């Protein structure tokens, strides 16, 4: 039986988007991006690498939690700041940095959850660096994950055919 977000007023959650390279290391693509005025404008003014997934997760978080969103492309992560839970999302080009971030927080005894497309396609790899892995649509799984977190339950989450399965 779950407690439903009881005593969450002071629980702090950091949602982190790691810094990452744009798209790939393909030399032809990199040259195109470097030499294209349009791409430079896009990168400079419109694309940070930040995923809208974290804003969706923050929206799905009950108001009793204190949520901080950190986009590492714009601000440094303060590993000394107190968080009860850290959530990280990553696409493949961010995965190695995401793993370093998660490992650092886990060294500090902070619970870590990872999601995003990379964790969805590589859950066993991601699990080595996190307490829980969200596979699939995080905003659907997030409320259940928070309840489990509050009850000290860490599991690997799967979303199959609209149902929760844990392993």
């Amino acid at each position: 039986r779950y407690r439903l977000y009881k005593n969450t007023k002071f629980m702090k959650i950091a949602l982190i988007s790691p810094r990452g390279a744009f798209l790939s290391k393909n030399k032809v693509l990199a040259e195109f991006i470097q030499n294209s005025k349009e791409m430079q404008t896009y990168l400079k003014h419109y694309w940070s690498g930040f995923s809208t997934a974290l804003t969706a997760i923050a929206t799905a978080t009950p108001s009793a939690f204190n949520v901080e969103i950190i986009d590492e492309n714009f601000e440094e992560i303060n590993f000394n700041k107190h968080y009860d839970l850290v959530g990280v999302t990553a696409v493949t080009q961010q995965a190695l940095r995401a793993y370093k971030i998660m490992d650092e927080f886990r060294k500090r005894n902070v619970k870590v959850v990872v999601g995003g497309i990379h964790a969805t396609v590589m859950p066993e790899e991601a699990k080595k660096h996190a307490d829980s892995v969200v596979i699939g649509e995080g905003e659907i799984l997030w409320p259940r994950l928070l309840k489990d977190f509050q009850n000290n339950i860490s599991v690997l989450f799967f979303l199959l055919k609209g149902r929760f399965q844990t392993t």
Side-chain angles (χ1 to χ4, degrees):
R1 183 157 196 150
Y2 291 116
R3 291 181 310 196
L4 298 178
Y5 310 114
K6 188 176 179 183
N7 299 322
T8 58
K9 195 178 244 183
F10 301 106
M11 295 194 79
K12 295 182 189 276
I13 300 172
L15 299 176
I16 299 174
S17 176
R19 69 177 167 264
F22 183 74
L23 295 179
S24 80
K25 295 181 181 178
N26 178 303
K27 289 181 182 181
V28 174
L29 180 60
E31 185 177 307
F32 167 75
I33 291 169
Q34 276 186 327
N35 295 328
S36 168
K37 183 172 74 171
E38 292 81 7
M39 284 302 294
Q40 288 302 310
T41 300
Y42 175 73
L43 293 173
K44 183 176 181 184
H45 297 288
Y46 303 108
W47 190 83
S48 71
F50 181 71
S51 166
T52 57
L54 293 182
T55 55
I57 295 296
T59 301
T61 304
S63 60
F65 290 89
N66 181 351
V67 178
E68 179 180 352
I69 297 176
I70 302 167
D71 180 350
E72 198 180 25
N73 291 298
F74 292 102
E75 64 182 297
E76 294 295 317
I77 298 168
N78 181 353
F79 290 102
N80 293 315
K81 191 169 182 178
H82 169 75
Y83 297 106
D84 298 295
L85 179 66
V86 170
V88 179
T89 186
V91 294
T92 300
Q93 73 259 23
Q94 296 170 305
L96 294 178
R97 177 63 186 151
Y99 293 159
K100 287 180 183 177
I101 292 166
M102 295 186 296
D103 292 343
E104 185 61 35
F105 276 111
R106 288 181 84 199
K107 277 192 233 172
R108 297 163 188 261
N109 296 313
V110 177
K111 293 289 184 188
V112 175
V113 60
V114 63
I117 191 66
H118 189 79
T120 295
V121 298
M122 302 291 290
E124 292 301 321
E125 177 185 286
K127 180 72 173 137
K128 295 174 188 173
H129 305 276
D131 298 291
S132 295
V133 179
V134 174
I135 299 172
E137 300 300 322
E139 58 274 11
I140 295 168
L141 294 164
W142 189 245
R144 168 77 184 270
L145 187 140
L146 291 177
K147 290 175 193 172
D148 284 353
F149 169 71
Q150 288 233 271
N151 288 287
N152 296 314
I153 301 169
S154 290
V155 294
L156 179 60
F157 285 96
F158 290 90
L159 178 61
L160 299 172
K161 298 182 183 177
R163 296 182 58 132
F164 296 103
Q165 293 184 356
T166 60
T167 59

